[in-house]
Amino acid sequence: MGRGGGGGGGHHSSHHSSSHSHSGGSYRRSSGSSYRSSSSSYRSSGRSYSHHSGRSHYSGGGGGGCGGCSSILTVPIVLIIFVVYFFDEVFGFSAVFEIERSTVRRDPLPASKCEMFEEWYRDDWGDWIDESGEAASLMYGMNYFYEKTGVQPYLWIMGEEGGEYKSEGSLEELADETYKDMFGNDEGHLLVIFREYPNASGNYICTITPGYDAETQVMDDQAKEIFLDCIDYYYSDEDLNEGEFFSEAFFNSADRIMTKQLSLAQLGTIIAIVIVLVAGLCVLVAILKKRKVALAKQKAQQAQAEANKAKTDFERKQYEDNLETQFVAVACPNCGASGNRIRKATVGYCQYCGTAIRVEQDGTVKIANGSGT
């Protein structure tokens, strides 16, 4: 069977294998260097689909500068970079962009369409899934995939005998034949064949083959891409051992396959709106803060002006009160009229007869004339 699919009998028409192959930069086993890049092909109803990607996995580093940005935007930009870094380090945020997103709703395959198979995996190397807890990790992920999707997976880790399968097409043909030999007419399983070839031109090739029922209800082309992307993504995580690597791929692909998500375009729109809102909020806060400072300054100036006026009024009244004490009631020495008030040490005039009257500082009253008293 070639990459275009088809051929080989009735069973093959119901199984559409999908593959990823890798070459490039890192290694998982100690048997030699191996490398990663990726390509994948799909056989479906006599047609093939392939894509090639040289993935550069997100390292969680900070973003670039913002030379023309206002200082007001510095805080939200730094905050966004920190949040992205934090979520990538703690929750694997980069998987949002590196793994295909599920944009359709899927229901689990009914239990009646998938008869439980006693064996879950086969390790031809004998030491990929060893006895140091890797088997438990692997089974946890595979069981979760089965419970979530209703599709029971089977993992075949090929050993040396896989060397004769040099192409995706040859491995897909083997997968179709193996599915029929293992599960017969039960179309509710997912066969995963993984072969790493460290001494060849690439690192690994992975082929997944769902049964007809599994494919039509759960493992469509998008679901296959999600699973293969998870294999790709977690294969690159050198902190995971082999059991954990496969477990994470099964566990997280099940969650994503069975959860309808926003598309990257929708997610990008939401992020852009959030950034605009945060920036707008920061600008509004800055404006309100500036206005508050201006109002506080205006109130301080007004309070100072009122204080200065009060001081001036007080001094004026104090002066007037003091001045008032300098005036005395004087009876005119000429006509004897009372009711005259004249300031001490000054000359005043009787308001009745006009006589010039001088009041001394000690209060003595005298009639003043042009040449003296």
Side-chain angles (χ1 to χ4, degrees):
M1 183 185 301
R3 292 184 60 175
H11 177 76
H12 298 305
S13 65
S14 64
H15 302 148
H16 303 149
S17 301
S18 300
S19 305
H20 267 188
S21 62
H22 269 240
S23 62
S26 181
Y27 68 91
R28 174 162 292 280
R29 293 175 51 81
S30 60
S31 56
S33 297
S34 50
Y35 303 88
R36 297 190 300 276
S37 70
S38 72
S39 63
S40 59
S41 65
Y42 301 87
R43 284 197 327 281
S44 180
S45 304
R47 65 181 179 84
S48 66
Y49 166 73
S50 64
H51 87 256
H52 301 271
S53 65
R55 286 191 173 89
S56 176
H57 291 280
Y58 180 72
S59 64
C66 184
C69 294
S70 162
S71 59
I72 294 175
L73 300 179
T74 301
V75 173
I77 290 173
V78 171
L79 180 61
I80 291 167
I81 292 173
F82 173 77
V83 169
V84 170
Y85 177 80
F86 175 79
F87 273 85
D88 183 52
E89 289 294 311
V90 178
F91 302 108
F93 186 72
S94 58
V96 171
F97 303 100
E98 294 193 28
I99 298 175
E100 179 79 15
R101 299 182 66 75
S102 176
T103 58
V104 298
R105 182 181 178 275
R106 300 178 178 87
D107 295 318
L109 186 70
S112 60
K113 292 189 176 183
C114 181
E115 184 178 349
M116 175 71 74
F117 196 70
E118 293 183 0
E119 186 178 349
W120 289 75
Y121 70 90
R122 169 181 168 184
D123 177 13
D124 287 353
W125 288 108
D127 62 348
W128 264 68
I129 310 300
D130 57 25
E131 298 179 357
S132 61
E134 292 187 39
S137 295
L138 173 61
M139 287 302 299
Y140 176 77
M142 296 185 77
N143 269 295
Y144 184 83
F145 186 94
Y146 178 43
E147 292 171 2
K148 195 80 172 179
T149 65
V151 177
Q152 184 186 13
Y154 183 89
L155 173 63
W156 179 8
I157 303 172
M158 298 189 74
E160 294 289 353
E161 76 282 1
E164 63 182 276
Y165 298 96
K166 300 293 186 182
S167 67
E168 293 172 1
S170 61
L171 195 62
E172 288 170 359
E173 184 175 0
L174 171 66
D176 287 345
E177 294 171 354
T178 301
Y179 188 101
K180 183 176 181 179
D181 292 340
M182 290 185 65
F183 307 115
N185 294 324
D186 187 334
E187 299 290 344
H189 294 266
L190 176 69
L191 174 63
V192 180
I193 300 180
F194 182 91
R195 182 175 81 83
E196 189 180 58
Y197 41 111
N199 296 321
S201 60
N203 196 298
Y204 76 77
I205 184 170
C206 180
T207 295
I208 58 173
T209 305
Y212 178 78
D213 292 331
E215 182 175 32
T216 54
Q217 185 155 334
V218 179
M219 296 304 297
D220 51 39
D221 284 349
Q222 186 180 69
K224 294 174 189 176
E225 181 65 18
I226 290 171
F227 183 86
L228 291 171
D229 280 352
C230 283
I231 289 288
D232 184 10
Y233 183 83
Y234 291 104
Y235 181 88
S236 304
D237 190 342
E238 296 179 2
D239 292 331
L240 302 176
N241 60 39
E242 280 75 13
E244 293 168 339
F245 143 56
F246 283 117
S247 179
E248 289 292 320
F250 279 107
F251 187 97
N252 289 285
S253 65
D255 274 343
R256 182 161 291 205
I257 287 170
M258 302 306 291
T259 304
K260 184 178 179 179
Q261 300 172 304
L262 296 173
S263 67
L264 284 179
Q266 292 171 322
L267 187 62
T269 300
I270 292 174
I271 291 174
I273 291 173
V274 170
I275 291 174
V276 170
L277 290 177
V278 170
L281 181 61
C282 289
V283 171
L284 178 61
V285 169
I287 292 174
L288 292 177
K289 183 177 180 181
K290 186 176 181 180
R291 182 179 179 185
K292 183 178 179 180
V293 171
L295 288 174
K297 184 177 180 181
Q298 182 180 359
K299 287 182 178 180
Q301 291 174 343
Q302 184 177 355
Q304 184 64 44
E306 291 175 353
N308 292 338
K309 183 178 182 299
K311 180 180 179 182
T312 301
D313 292 344
F314 174 76
E315 291 175 346
R316 181 183 295 110
K317 187 169 188 316
Q318 192 176 40
Y319 170 77
E320 290 174 350
D321 291 345
N322 182 59
L323 188 63
E324 185 68 22
T325 63
Q326 300 296 314
F327 285 83
V328 295
V330 176
C332 178
N334 183 35
C335 68
S338 61
N340 295 301
R341 288 183 60 82
I342 300 174
R343 185 181 176 188
K344 294 177 180 180
T346 63
V347 175
Y349 296 90
C350 175
Q351 59 181 329
Y352 299 102
C353 67
T355 301
I357 305 171
R358 180 176 181 81
V359 180
E360 300 295 345
Q361 187 64 44
D362 59 3
T364 303
V365 176
K366 299 176 182 180
I367 295 177
N369 54 37
S371 60
T373 302

